[in-house]
Amino acid sequence: MIEFRGVTKRFPDGTVAVDHLDLVVEAGGITVFVGPSGCGKTTSLRMINRMIEPTEGTISVDGRDVAATDAAELRRGIGYVIQQAGLFPHRTILDNIATVPLLLGWSKAKARSRAADLMELVGLAPEMAGRYPAQLSGGQQQRVGVARALAADPPILLMDEPFSAVDPVVRESLQDELLRLQSELGKTIVFVTHDIDEAVKLGDKVAVLRVGGVLAQYDQPGQILARPVDDFVDNFVGRDRGYRGLGFLSSDAIPIGELTTVALGEPVPADDAWVLVVDSERRPQGWSNGAERGGATVVEAEHLVPGGSLYDIGSGSLRSALDAALSSPSGQGVAVDAEGRVAGSITADDVLRALDDVRRDVAAA
Amino acid sequence: MVWEWVPRNVDRIVELLGEHLLLSLVPVLIALVFAVPLGWLANRSAPARAVLIPASGLLYTIPSLALFVMLPGVLGTQIKSPVNVIVALTIYTVALLVRTIADALAAVPSMVVAAATAMGFKPARRFVSVELPLAVPVLVAGLRVATVANISLVSVGALIGLGGLGGLFTDGYQRNIPSEILTGIVLTVLLALLADAVLLAAGRFATPWDRARRSGA
């Protein structure tokens, strides 16, 4: 647990970066500091491992005031992933990852074998061990950055806009990777970003900070999207927060309807209505109707219209259910089971009715 | 031209070559010891930089002959002591290297330094294991300039009787032996080229990461 108590940081030029911050970062979860530039999110992060010293107030880690610790010792016990990875250009990937274990006095062999394990954990091919950072892509460098931070198995991980320099596709896979890692490792992670989408995707709790370092709202991401405390948070969270907020609502209440399917290679159905085409394993392949088939007698792959997104009944949210319905050419969203086989259909109306139920439950609670 | 001069004086040429090498390279090594901490200081503190960088520039403008002649008075050494030449060239080399080292350290990406701090490096170890190695490519470039400059400057010492191969110029001029002068010039140039090549190779060897980056693999 990390606790900020009345923490203020005033820089020598008079700028107040953080203003009377009181906040508790719970152990074992991801807490995201998010806000526009100048909101003090990075300053707040860097005060945890004493890269920056607060002007007033105290920060404690597991009840121990960090100001009373030896800074270098403290830092070796807290993983840190910096913007643009910040890898040591003159050290190989393996030696980059082994940095903290070596600082802690591990033997070279032990540190390197630990580093090799971490390369595997973050999904880096073993042949990269002897390369230098400049020989890796941005996404791979970020993985090395994460592996380096985890090398000495610290209970706390500080991540300072770690994914801001990579393209959106790579960023998304790095985020997914982080969530997967976190589900295995259960670290206490403090994550700084200016991207609200990243914040709500990763955060168990999100702290929205405003310019001048004042905490605007600190809550679970679903709550921040559903109930921004003021105009600043509302604006910052963005235009389609209603839709994105659906991502945090359970879709268990949505009824799954019947869905007519036809397998590839079977005779065409009697009527011309939209029908979902599946393969022999009942996995969706696309949609077909009379107009698209143009008189063919057998359902063939070239007559298919691509389907929309799929709604996974096991792990989906109202957002994924609604998106499946809206993106389907027939208006019927395709619900699939964990194996990707068709389970039935959902419609936008079903989703909205389910949303009504959720709202009633929330109001009643 | 009387080429027989060369084979008849091989021993002397070799002796002067050795002297030249010693007088030009020892100052580089001594200067490095002084310039690294001074460059570190100039990079770290703005007031120190404001003093050190102009001061080192100023040092370099002192005419070399004047320095050779002045130093025995200042140091209390014999006029023909090699110490004079070594001290003078050390001063020039420090003057060249302080700025180079300060700039090389300033060019180390701040993210890398911040990451090192965040990993738990203490400042001294961070300097030795992160900042200094990353400064090596620029540092070697500075060393090459300083070394070649020294090899050329040593010759001036011949005017006070201590100039390595420069002795061949003064002697050849006084006794009118063009082949002696030419031998001096050719050997000085070869020595400079050789020293430059050795430093270049050593720099490459010491920075495998830079090679990897350059090859774009």
Side-chain angles (χ1 to χ4, degrees), chain B residues 17 21 53 55 57-58 66 74 79 82 94 96 110 120 132 140 155 172 184 187 197-198:
Chain B
L17 192 66
L21 211 56
I53 301 299
L58 211 59
V74 177
I79 188 105
V94 169
L96 269 177
S110 60
L132 203 54
V140 168
S155 317
L187 286 180
V198 167

Side-chain angles (χ1 to χ4, degrees), chain A residues 46 49 51 70 72-73 75-76 78 80 82-91 99-100 102-103 132 134-135 148, chain B residues 109-122 125 129-131 133-134 208-210 212-213 215-217:
Chain A
R46 290 186 169 193
N49 70 351
M51 304 260 290
D70 175 82
E73 296 289 332
R75 291 172 191 146
R76 288 171 199 173
I78 298 179
Y80 196 95
I82 200 167
Q83 294 168 31
Q84 298 153 26
L87 301 179
F88 302 133
H90 61 304
R91 295 205 172 159
T99 301
V100 180
L102 288 173
L103 281 172
Y132 290 99
Q135 296 170 292
R148 182 175 66 172
Chain B
S110 60
M111 284 292 174
V112 173
V113 180
T117 308
M119 301 289 113
F121 277 95
K122 293 185 176 169
R125 185 155 176 193
S129 7
V130 178
E131 294 172 77
L134 290 177
W209 69 89
D210 220 36
R213 185 175 54 93
S215 72

Side-chain angles (χ1 to χ4, degrees), chain B residues 119-170:
Chain B
M119 301 289 113
F121 277 95
K122 293 185 176 169
R125 185 155 176 193
R126 186 186 70 201
F127 181 74
V128 173
S129 7
V130 178
E131 294 172 77
L132 203 54
L134 290 177
V136 162
V138 182
L139 179 62
V140 168
L143 279 178
R144 287 169 63 193
V145 173
T147 305
V148 171
N150 276 2
I151 288 174
S152 140
L153 271 174
V154 164
S155 317
V156 180
L159 294 176
I160 57 165
L162 243 184
L165 295 168
L168 299 181
F169 306 157
T170 45

Side-chain angles (χ1 to χ4, degrees), chain B residues 72-91:
Chain B
V74 177
L75 300 170
T77 42
Q78 298 288 315
I79 188 105
K80 289 195 72 172
S81 161
V83 172
N84 301 327
V85 177
I86 288 177
V87 169
L89 292 182
T90 301
I91 290 172

Side-chain angles (χ1 to χ4, degrees), chain A:
Chain A
M1 191 182 82
I2 303 165
E3 193 176 359
F4 289 78
R5 259 181 315 220
V7 173
T8 293
K9 176 64 191 182
R10 206 173 295 110
F11 284 108
D13 66 354
T15 342
V16 176
V18 179
D19 197 358
H20 292 95
L21 181 64
D22 288 299
L23 181 144
V24 172
V25 172
E26 281 144 37
I30 300 181
T31 299
V32 181
F33 292 173
V34 66
S37 25
C39 74
K41 51 192 190 294
T42 295
T43 305
S44 300
L45 184 82
R46 290 186 169 193
M47 287 193 290
I48 296 172
N49 70 351
R50 297 188 59 193
M51 304 260 290
I52 296 175
E53 301 286 357
T55 318
E56 287 163 33
T58 56
I59 297 167
S60 59
V61 172
D62 294 328
R64 238 159 53 106
D65 184 351
V66 294
T69 62
D70 175 82
E73 296 289 332
L74 174 78
R75 291 172 191 146
R76 288 171 199 173
I78 298 179
Y80 196 95
V81 186
I82 200 167
Q83 294 168 31
Q84 298 153 26
L87 301 179
F88 302 133
H90 61 304
R91 295 205 172 159
T92 61
I93 300 311
L94 199 68
D95 285 344
N96 260 284
I97 299 174
T99 301
V100 180
L102 288 173
L103 281 172
L104 288 170
W106 295 23
S107 73
K108 214 160 197 175
K110 191 178 161 205
R112 286 193 165 160
S113 113
R114 168 74 182 155
D117 293 346
L118 277 154
M119 287 186 66
E120 196 184 332
L121 182 73
V122 301
L124 286 165
E127 60 264 27
M128 292 187 178
R131 294 195 193 156
Y132 290 99
Q135 296 170 292
L136 267 57
S137 71
Q140 289 167 337
Q141 290 186 23
Q142 276 307 338
R143 284 165 197 268
V144 177
V146 172
R148 182 175 66 172
L150 288 170
D153 203 20
I156 296 173
L157 207 56
L158 307 180
M159 306 184 78
D160 183 7
E161 304 211 30
F163 306 148
S164 59
V166 291
D167 68 70
V169 177
V170 174
R171 187 181 316 151
E172 203 168 319
S173 79
L174 288 169
Q175 290 165 348
D176 293 338
E177 196 85 346
L178 177 65
L179 289 172
R180 176 187 67 79
L181 273 176
Q182 171 66 353
S183 69
E184 286 174 28
L185 303 173
K187 302 283 181 192
T188 303
I189 298 178
V190 185
F191 191 106
V192 163
T193 180
H194 58 262
D195 176 0
I196 184 70
D197 288 312
E198 186 165 69
V200 298
K201 176 173 179 180
L202 297 178
D204 294 308
K205 285 192 88 176
V206 174
V208 184
L209 296 154
R210 69 175 99 231
V211 176
V214 179
L215 181 62
Q217 187 168 4
Y218 184 41
D219 213 329
Q220 290 164 358
Q223 283 299 306
I224 286 182
L225 290 174
R227 292 173 191 193
V229 287
D230 58 17
D231 287 349
F232 168 77
V233 178
D234 188 7
N235 266 320
F236 188 74
V237 162
R239 204 182 289 268
D240 48 355
R241 66 177 174 86
Y243 177 60
R244 286 189 284 127
L246 294 177
F248 296 93
L249 297 177
S250 156
S251 57
D252 295 347
I254 303 178
I256 305 294
E258 291 284 314
L259 184 60
T260 328
T261 61
V262 58
L264 277 173
E266 282 183 2
V268 299
D271 62 28
D272 284 348
W274 282 108
V275 62
L276 182 71
V277 179
V278 295
D279 65 6
S280 56
E281 306 280 314
R282 284 189 56 75
R283 290 196 185 89
Q285 303 298 303
W287 290 85
S288 168
N289 67 5
E292 297 294 333
R293 289 191 291 270
T297 53
V298 173
V299 178
E300 289 180 77
E302 62 258 37
H303 299 141
L304 297 185
V305 175
S309 60
L310 299 172
Y311 161 63
D312 183 333
I313 52 174
S315 63
S317 62
L318 284 184
R319 179 178 174 171
S320 62
L322 184 60
D323 193 71
L326 295 178
S327 63
S328 164
S330 70
Q332 288 174 293
V334 178
V336 294
D337 62 17
E339 277 75 46
R341 287 189 292 262
V342 175
S345 76
I346 43 169
T347 65
D349 287 343
D350 293 336
V351 178
L352 297 180
R353 264 193 295 279
L355 178 61
D356 267 348
D357 293 343
V358 174
R359 285 209 181 106
R360 252 197 308 281
D361 290 350
V362 170

Side-chain angles (χ1 to χ4, degrees), chain B:
Chain B
M1 234 182 267
V2 197
W3 281 113
E4 300 87 70
W5 181 88
V6 177
R8 269 194 266 117
N9 291 278
V10 168
D11 287 349
R12 175 155 168 73
I13 293 172
V14 169
E15 184 195 326
L16 288 177
L17 192 66
E19 181 185 295
H20 202 107
L21 211 56
L22 195 79
L23 290 177
S24 53
L25 296 189
V26 168
V28 175
L29 294 177
I30 302 175
L32 202 54
V33 173
F34 285 101
V36 167
L38 288 175
W40 172 81
L41 193 65
N43 175 51
R44 207 178 153 83
S45 124
R49 187 184 175 89
V51 174
L52 285 169
I53 301 299
S56 61
L58 211 59
L59 275 183
Y60 208 74
T61 61
I62 304 174
S64 51
L65 188 55
L67 203 54
F68 289 147
V69 174
M70 238 165 56
L71 276 173
V74 177
L75 300 170
T77 42
Q78 298 288 315
I79 188 105
K80 289 195 72 172
S81 161
V83 172
N84 301 327
V85 177
I86 288 177
V87 169
L89 292 182
T90 301
I91 290 172
Y92 288 129
T93 312
V94 169
L96 269 177
L97 287 181
V98 167
R99 189 192 193 110
T100 305
I101 291 171
D103 290 349
L105 290 174
V108 175
S110 60
M111 284 292 174
V112 173
V113 180
T117 308
M119 301 289 113
F121 277 95
K122 293 185 176 169
R125 185 155 176 193
R126 186 186 70 201
F127 181 74
V128 173
S129 7
V130 178
E131 294 172 77
L132 203 54
L134 290 177
V136 162
V138 182
L139 179 62
V140 168
L143 279 178
R144 287 169 63 193
V145 173
T147 305
V148 171
N150 276 2
I151 288 174
S152 140
L153 271 174
V154 164
S155 317
V156 180
L159 294 176
I160 57 165
L162 243 184
L165 295 168
L168 299 181
F169 306 157
T170 45
D171 188 66
Y173 182 72
Q174 281 157 6
R175 294 163 56 199
N176 195 18
I177 311 173
S179 61
E180 186 177 1
I181 299 175
L182 204 63
T183 305
I185 293 173
V186 168
L187 286 180
T188 308
V189 169
L190 284 180
L191 197 61
L193 288 175
L194 184 71
D196 192 55
V198 167
L199 278 171
L200 179 67
R204 290 259 169 95
F205 179 76
T207 57
W209 69 89
D210 220 36
R211 209 164 46 226
R213 185 175 54 93
R214 240 180 293 206
S215 72

